[in-house]
Amino acid sequence: MKVHKLLCPQIPSSGIAARAACAMLILIFAPHSARAAAPLVPESPPEFGGQCAEALANGQHVMTNCSSSWTDKDGKKYCFSNDSSKRSFLQSPVEKIQRAREFAAASSVESTEKAMQYFTGTDAEELVKKLIAAKVKANNGIFAYDDPLNGDHLKLTYDDIDFTRTIDGYGYFPDVKFHDSTDAEKKYLIDFWVLPVDGILQLQEIRIHKEPLKVEGTWTMMARQPIPWWWIPASEHPGHLATKRGWEVMSAVEHKAMVESLKNNGVFKLKDDKTGKELELEFVDTHQPVRQLDDGHYFACTDFRVVGTKNEIYDIDFWVSDKDGKMTVDQTKVHKVPELKSGEWVQVPRYEWKDLGASHVVP
């Protein structure tokens, strides 16, 4: 159509507003029959703002004109600097998308950190609840989720939001509890990544954190491997920051907990340094804030539940050091033990973190 060439010179992929105006002009000037035969559907903007997805996966920012692109089954468009980059990307798209998101997130830490001051974890939870409610309503009470790791089409029932992690510079991560719609014992913990974009909280991605695993005829929850992408390992970005941040320490701690648990079907085994008893535990969470001792070690507290119980929670301390840019766990020790008092389980400390010497909070 001549009017298209006349009204719409080549517009770069980033010119979303210009493309929309151009489409409107075509609708006005095009013959009625042509408009009826070929209705225009607004094109969704490409992922990563049109940057080359393969370059991002390799730790580089490269803008493209999106002449070489790929669209996944969810309609998300990824751009490439050339067809060679596209072919390399498509050899392992799930892994490459994860790596690209990690690098893109790390690159926007400072701006995100500033934007987060206007929101709270509660705001993120409210957004997630609304999104889930809308999806459940549209799908006859079912929260449908396509598991990107193994391709399973999950039909889940929403239970509740367990808790929300806040990682400065990276966003909010509500952990949401679901169960299989046909078996309430098959439970899932799914992470929702919420980030402020242009002054508005938006959902970025959903990823399974824990999934059901049958052990000796009973369903239990096992942390998904590899570690969920939002615990961006410090080793992926050595030298990104001169001073290690709290999330890097927590990443090392959780990685250690998951690796050790994998050796024993989800059970973290630890010898109690005081009683000599071997504890069988399940990882629950890492506390904030993280601290750094004057001797250089980073120090993080965690909660572990005694296997087979609900409220018997140990507080386990991890000492972490920075070795050539990689955070490594050096020591693990029981900090608080569960004791039954007046019918309730409480944590009784063996020492206070202040007893370890001077320290400061790691942001």
Side-chain angles (χ1 to χ4, degrees):
M1 188 188 307
K2 290 183 179 180
V3 69
H4 183 279
K5 293 182 179 179
L6 196 64
L7 296 173
C8 301
Q10 185 174 4
I11 297 172
S13 59
S14 59
I16 299 172
R19 289 203 308 275
C22 176
M24 182 61 70
L25 287 172
I26 291 176
L27 284 172
I28 294 172
F29 288 99
H32 176 77
S33 59
R35 296 201 301 270
L40 290 173
V41 178
E43 181 183 355
S44 298
E47 298 294 295
F48 307 119
Q51 294 186 74
C52 177
E54 172 69 9
L56 286 171
N58 291 307
Q60 295 179 312
H61 293 282
V62 177
M63 283 303 302
T64 77
N65 60 11
C66 222
S67 58
S68 178
S69 65
W70 169 71
T71 302
D72 68 9
K73 62 182 179 63
D74 296 322
K76 294 181 179 180
K77 184 178 181 180
Y78 297 88
C79 303
F80 305 93
S81 55
N82 51 53
D83 288 338
S84 177
S85 294
K86 177 180 175 180
R87 286 193 296 271
S88 176
F89 181 89
L90 291 179
Q91 290 178 3
S92 53
V94 174
E95 177 189 350
K96 292 293 183 70
I97 289 173
Q98 178 177 336
R99 285 165 51 187
R101 288 194 185 282
E102 290 176 357
F103 179 70
S107 301
S108 61
V109 168
E110 291 186 5
S111 60
T112 300
E113 196 166 31
K114 292 178 181 178
M116 287 177 65
Q117 65 181 307
Y118 302 105
F119 302 96
T120 66
T122 300
D123 296 327
E125 291 182 5
E126 289 302 315
L127 172 65
V128 169
K129 287 178 181 178
K130 290 179 181 178
L131 293 173
I132 292 174
K135 191 169 183 178
V136 167
K137 183 178 180 181
N139 201 28
N140 298 318
I142 298 297
F143 183 87
Y145 177 69
D146 290 323
D147 187 348
L149 186 66
N150 52 36
D152 288 345
H153 180 67
L154 303 177
K155 295 181 179 180
L156 306 174
T157 298
Y158 168 70
D159 292 321
D160 194 9
I161 293 180
D162 192 12
F163 60 91
T164 295
R165 285 184 173 90
T166 298
I167 305 180
D168 289 337
Y170 289 82
Y172 305 94
F173 303 87
D175 276 13
V176 184
K177 295 186 289 186
F178 292 88
H179 66 263
D180 188 288
S181 59
T182 61
D183 188 346
E185 296 303 314
K186 294 179 65 175
K187 299 178 181 180
Y188 291 81
L189 193 62
I190 299 182
D191 298 323
F192 287 66
W193 178 26
V194 176
L195 192 68
V197 178
D198 297 329
I200 301 173
L201 284 180
Q202 296 184 16
L203 177 67
Q204 298 297 303
E205 193 169 341
I206 301 172
R207 186 63 62 106
I208 292 177
H209 185 182
K210 294 183 179 181
E211 60 190 344
L213 175 70
K214 207 160 197 177
V215 179
E216 297 180 353
T218 302
W219 287 108
T220 185
M221 279 203 300
M222 179 68 183
R224 169 67 63 87
Q225 292 294 321
I227 299 298
W229 59 269
W230 43 263
W231 276 133
I232 305 171
S235 59
E236 291 293 322
H237 307 287
H240 173 61
L241 292 167
T243 303
K244 295 300 180 184
R245 296 168 64 92
W247 65 261
E248 294 179 286
V249 180
M250 295 167 73
S251 169
V253 168
E254 293 213 5
H255 182 266
K256 177 69 172 180
M258 300 312 168
V259 169
E260 292 300 317
S261 297
L262 273 178
K263 297 177 182 178
N264 301 290
N265 295 318
V267 176
F268 183 89
K269 294 188 176 183
L270 175 68
K271 184 177 180 180
D272 187 324
D273 54 286
K274 183 176 181 179
T275 66
K277 178 183 177 181
E278 184 178 61
L279 306 175
E280 294 191 345
L281 309 170
E282 295 174 326
F283 177 74
V284 177
D285 192 19
T286 307
H287 300 181
Q288 293 190 63
V290 170
R291 307 189 71 85
Q292 185 176 24
L293 304 173
D294 278 0
D295 66 2
H297 276 96
Y298 297 89
F299 179 79
C301 297
T302 61
D303 281 339
F304 281 81
R305 179 183 292 108
V306 176
V307 172
T309 72
K310 182 178 181 181
N311 299 315
E312 291 184 52
I313 308 295
Y314 277 84
D315 183 320
I316 307 296
D317 291 343
F318 285 71
W319 279 257
V320 181
S321 62
D322 181 359
K323 296 181 179 178
D324 298 324
K326 183 175 182 179
M327 303 302 284
T328 304
V329 174
D330 293 329
Q331 182 183 358
T332 307
K333 188 176 181 179
V334 175
H335 180 183
K336 299 177 183 178
V337 297
E339 291 187 10
L340 193 60
K341 294 187 177 182
S342 301
E344 293 185 5
W345 287 100
V346 297
Q347 288 185 330
V348 178
R350 289 181 175 172
Y351 59 89
E352 300 293 337
W353 59 263
K354 295 180 181 179
D355 298 335
L356 303 175
S359 64
H360 63 270
V361 171
V362 179

